[in-house]
Amino acid sequence: MSFLERDDPEVAAIIENERQRQVFGLELIASENVVSRAVMEATGSIMCNKYAEGYPGKRYYGGCEHHDVVENIARDRLCSLFSAEHANVQPHSGSQANQAVYFATIQPGDVIMSQSLTQGGHLSHGSPVNISGKLYDVHSYGVDYETEILDYSAIADMARQVKPKMIVCGASAYPREIDFKAFGEIADEVGAICVADIAHIAGLVAAGIHNSPIDVCRFTTTTTHKTLRGPRGGAILCRKGDGPLIDKSVFPGLQGGPLMHVIAAKAVCFKEALEPSYVEYAKQVVKNARVLAETLAENDLRVCSGGTDNHLALLDLSDHGITGLEAEVALGCAGITVNKNTIPREKRSPFVTSGLRVGTPTVTSRGMKEDEMKMIGDWIGRVLKNINDKNIHKMVKEEVSELCGKFPLYPDAV
């Protein structure tokens, strides 16, 4: 019996139920992944007991000597991973990493340009319901109406017109490679600060599969989970000269004490991502996403932009007369976890949507490859074509469970 089972059996039971869901279901949420046992162990380590406000060598509490070492290791490894000059690993999330960059460089009311949330952007890039949208004068660019791909000439025209103080590039539901150099050039032309949010694609950038923003954008923010396959958290990369500005913005500007157990886990994650095996993993993530998208198209499901260059695909369900919400619920009943998502030309609310977002980081971490993606794509097509047939959903769930048994999430825990 574990300490948790002994001291709080109610919470222990909930955690076990979640373990069962993950072990015997397919996780296709593009923003999720599964960490290694080493990352999980560091996250749950004794490091969680310590307050360590400040930075290595400049803490506000005693007893931080070991925390200084691990934070320096995390920073050095992250810089090595992305060939960056300076890293801050203290942000609790990607959203707070973005807030820190805004707080450090622009003022309330300043004009910023960012990708529309309904066309693939992120909440923290200026959505009117987010603090970023409330503080700044946000102008949103989107994708081309026909191709559903970013039109850099149109983005440049908008920048010349609105003259932003900052241009944010990066997305949460955009299946194509982003040209960070083009964004950097547009920002330079209009005298704007360029910020790249690579939260979703950080692992692909680290592996050299997606082009890097490090040398062409002034600031780069990221999460440490998603394709990077680490603990939930954020980080900021920048040039050495901007380091003090960013560090001051994170602490004391926005946060108090850092989560040192998470920073220790980030250090482990960065070490894993520096291994040659990680490059092979990232390559397989993209291969899997492409095969999954192709299979979905073969099942008469429209794939936005016609395919994918990264870890995710976006489906338009409009032709089938079902909503993203309906599809999410039905697939959940079949043991396949996805999320409803807005699509270009969206006509429904974000709570209902006309689309689905599917991603391959987690299933790839389990060892699944192209053959399994074909099976998964066919299952998705089968469920969506029989959206109200619970017997079909049950049959697919049994097949899903059988496949998951062949690819244990954590072999020693099943």
Side-chain angles (χ1 to χ4, degrees):
M1 177 179 291
S2 71
F3 291 106
L4 184 58
E5 289 173 316
R6 184 195 68 189
D7 295 345
D8 196 332
E10 183 178 12
V11 170
I14 293 169
I15 292 174
E16 174 57 21
N17 289 340
E18 172 59 13
R19 189 187 74 83
Q20 293 286 332
R21 186 192 70 83
Q22 291 188 29
V23 166
F24 295 107
L26 291 170
E27 198 72 54
L28 296 181
I29 303 290
S31 54
E32 295 182 8
N33 211 328
V34 290
V35 301
S36 68
R37 282 293 199 178
V39 169
M40 190 181 297
E41 183 177 338
T43 307
S45 71
I46 202 168
M47 286 273 185
C48 71
N49 290 340
K50 191 75 186 76
Y51 229 126
E53 277 190 345
Y55 290 99
K58 295 182 179 180
R59 304 286 189 184
Y60 286 79
Y61 295 87
C64 293
E65 56 269 25
H66 305 302
H67 302 79
D68 286 0
V69 174
V70 80
E71 184 168 345
N72 279 331
I73 288 174
R75 294 195 295 191
D76 290 345
R77 287 176 178 174
L78 186 59
C79 284
S80 178
L81 187 59
F82 289 97
S83 299
E85 295 178 359
H86 181 84
N88 188 303
V89 296
Q90 291 195 7
H92 301 330
S93 68
S95 292
Q96 287 190 292
N98 288 335
Q99 290 170 17
V101 174
Y102 304 155
F103 186 61
T105 58
I106 58 178
Q107 299 298 318
D110 280 348
V111 175
I112 68 172
M113 275 177 55
S114 61
Q115 190 163 338
S116 168
L117 178 62
T118 60
Q119 297 190 42
H122 190 262
L123 190 72
S124 64
H125 296 172
S127 168
V129 298
N130 184 262
I131 188 172
S132 56
K134 296 180 185 298
L135 285 180
Y136 309 108
D137 181 7
V138 182
H139 294 254
S140 299
Y141 57 84
V143 297
D144 178 80
Y145 187 88
E146 296 297 333
T147 66
E148 299 175 317
I149 294 174
L150 291 171
D151 182 340
Y152 297 96
S153 62
I155 294 169
D157 288 342
M158 177 184 283
R160 296 182 191 111
Q161 180 180 355
V162 305
K163 297 179 174 55
K165 183 71 177 291
M166 173 182 287
I167 297 177
V168 182
C169 53
S172 64
Y174 182 66
R176 295 302 186 176
E177 186 169 12
I178 297 170
D179 189 342
F180 292 121
K181 183 179 180 181
F183 272 110
E185 290 172 348
I186 294 169
D188 287 344
E189 180 186 340
V190 299
I193 297 165
C194 194
V195 181
D197 182 344
I198 61 169
H200 264 267
I201 56 170
L204 308 184
V205 173
I209 297 168
H210 190 296
N211 71 87
S212 174
I214 296 300
D215 293 328
V216 294
C217 298
R218 184 173 169 186
F219 300 98
T220 298
T221 64
T222 185
T223 55
T224 48
H225 41 292
K226 303 186 177 79
T227 53
L228 202 51
R229 205 164 58 178
R232 301 189 66 82
I236 303 169
L237 295 159
C238 63
R239 295 158 189 157
K240 187 175 181 180
D242 285 322
L245 184 69
I246 288 298
D247 290 350
K248 184 179 180 180
S249 182
V250 175
F251 175 84
L254 291 174
Q255 297 182 178
L259 307 178
M260 291 310 304
H261 53 303
V262 177
I263 288 176
K266 289 176 183 178
V268 177
C269 153
F270 302 150
K271 180 177 184 295
E272 293 174 351
L274 285 163
E275 298 293 334
S277 60
Y278 182 82
V279 175
E280 296 307 310
Y281 161 74
K283 288 179 179 178
Q284 191 64 51
V285 167
V286 175
K287 290 178 183 178
N288 283 351
R290 286 175 177 163
V291 172
L292 180 58
E294 291 167 2
T295 306
L296 292 168
E298 290 168 1
N299 277 270
D300 195 32
L301 295 167
R302 193 181 85 81
V303 179
C304 293
S305 81
T308 178
D309 299 324
N310 55 31
H311 63 301
L312 65 85
L314 199 59
L315 300 182
D316 177 0
L317 305 176
S318 302
D319 293 343
H320 294 268
I322 58 178
T323 68
L325 177 58
E326 290 170 332
E328 177 186 306
V329 172
L331 287 166
C333 292
I336 302 173
T337 306
V338 297
N339 66 275
K340 59 185 177 294
N341 212 97
T342 56
I343 57 172
R345 304 187 293 277
E346 181 63 73
K347 296 180 180 178
R348 294 188 170 100
S349 83
F351 298 101
V352 178
T353 80
S354 301
L356 283 181
R357 186 184 66 169
V358 296
T360 56
T362 301
V363 290
T364 307
S365 289
R366 295 183 74 153
M368 297 182 192
K369 295 186 177 181
E370 289 91 336
D371 287 346
E372 289 72 40
M373 296 308 106
K374 293 177 182 177
M375 295 173 64
I376 294 170
D378 287 340
W379 283 331
I380 292 173
R382 189 176 170 194
V383 170
L384 296 186
K385 290 172 185 175
N386 298 276
I387 194 77
N388 296 314
D389 192 331
K390 294 184 179 180
N391 288 327
I392 293 291
H393 303 170
K394 182 179 179 182
M395 291 170 60
V396 170
K397 186 174 184 177
E398 291 172 354
E399 294 174 16
V400 165
S401 181
E402 182 179 356
L403 176 65
C404 289
K406 298 176 182 177
F407 295 90
L409 187 61
Y410 296 109
D412 57 344
V414 177

